[in-house]
Amino acid sequence: MEGKNRISFDYWCTTENSQLEVVFEYKENKFFLRTYGAIDNIPDNWEDEQLIIGYGG
């Protein structure tokens, strides 16, 4: 655990040689993605707003 409301782990890709840090924050009875590899400080509504180019559908 990073803090009392965050969890961090390493994601290892099974089809390519890569390893990413993934961090989730727990608040309001939900987990929110905060870091995915080089992408950091991901906002709560990143899927709705498509704030990250190339992610969010």
Side-chain angles (χ1 to χ4, degrees):
M1 296 285 282
E2 279 192 353
K4 62 181 183 177
N5 66 339
R6 287 186 177 234
I7 188 168
S8 174
F9 63 92
D10 289 331
Y11 170 79
W12 294 340
C13 183
T14 58
T15 58
E16 295 182 27
N17 186 15
S18 62
Q19 180 178 354
L20 304 171
E21 179 186 24
V22 180
V23 177
F24 288 92
E25 179 183 17
Y26 185 74
K27 68 177 188 177
E28 301 171 3
N29 296 319
K30 297 179 184 176
F31 285 98
F32 293 91
L33 181 64
R34 292 295 175 230
T35 302
Y36 185 78
I39 303 170
D40 199 13
N41 299 318
I42 300 172
D44 292 351
N45 62 342
W46 73 274
E47 289 176 311
D48 297 336
E49 301 296 326
Q50 295 183 355
L51 297 173
I52 300 173
I53 297 171
Y55 292 87

